[in-house]
Amino acid sequence: AFVLSASVDNTARLWAVASGECVCTFEDEGHPIKWASMSNDGTLVVTTSGCNAQLWDAKSGARSHAFAGHEKDVCAVEFSPDGSLVLTAASDGTAKLWSATTSKCLRTLTGHSKTIYSVAFSPDGALALTASDDHTARLWEVQSGDCLAVLQHRGGVKVAVFSPI
């Protein structure tokens, strides 16, 4: 088992739970890494820094490619359950769905008016959630990019997650 951490020291690190040792370091020169996520099969890591997200090989630490297209800092990132998609969210109020293999932006999810702090996929990967400082969480259909529901709060929403079942 492994733990993935992200730091303002411009690194994300993969740690072996059994030994507590760092087994791989992912470094972005010049930018703090704000968020990191690992694919469910444990082979890939995605990190955020500045206006981009970066895809890394979890074993070698080699950077594969970047997901570039947000106008402001990327605040959150997650893999879809099957690892085929990456969902990013930024302080520009947009979320983007990307192909994990080609880094092509497949669709942009618009509707939030402020920073999006967190993203999540449903366990089956069919739905996505975004949580924003605009006092809403939004439920999206991944295939179409349609917003299915706006979940209203009285203050900024920092996180929204799906139940596991």
Side-chain angles (χ1 to χ4, degrees):
F2 297 95
V3 170
L4 179 64
S5 60
S7 174
V8 295
D9 70 0
N10 302 353
T11 68
R13 296 178 191 268
L14 192 61
W15 307 86
V17 171
S19 67
E21 291 183 32
C22 179
V23 295
C24 198
T25 300
F26 313 94
E27 186 165 2
D28 188 336
E29 296 133 17
H31 295 285
I33 294 180
K34 293 185 176 181
W35 200 283
S37 181
M38 180 175 274
S39 60
N40 281 343
D41 66 4
T43 62
L44 299 172
V45 168
V46 65
T47 61
T48 68
S49 57
C51 297
N52 301 314
Q54 309 286 336
L55 188 71
W56 309 81
D57 180 275
K59 193 171 193 174
S60 70
R63 187 182 337 221
S64 173
H65 52 266
F67 303 98
H70 284 286
E71 294 178 14
K72 294 187 178 177
D73 283 356
V74 178
C75 302
V77 64
E78 290 294 339
F79 281 101
S80 61
D82 68 1
S84 67
L85 300 173
V86 170
L87 178 59
T88 58
S91 55
D92 62 11
T94 65
K96 293 182 180 285
L97 281 159
W98 309 83
S99 164
T101 55
T102 68
S103 73
K104 178 183 175 188
C105 182
L106 304 174
R107 62 193 51 83
T108 300
L109 308 177
T110 59
H112 286 293
S113 61
K114 293 187 177 179
T115 298
I116 300 172
Y117 290 114
S118 76
V119 295
F121 280 98
S122 61
D124 65 1
L127 302 173
L129 274 171
T130 53
S132 172
D133 204 29
D134 69 2
H135 301 194
T136 68
R138 292 178 183 255
L139 181 65
W140 308 88
E141 183 180 56
V142 170
Q143 185 66 29
S144 68
D146 291 340
C147 181
L148 302 177
V150 178
L151 313 173
Q152 189 71 45
H153 285 259
R154 290 186 303 234
V157 183
K158 301 300 182 189
V159 66
V161 297
F162 287 94
S163 68
I165 54 172

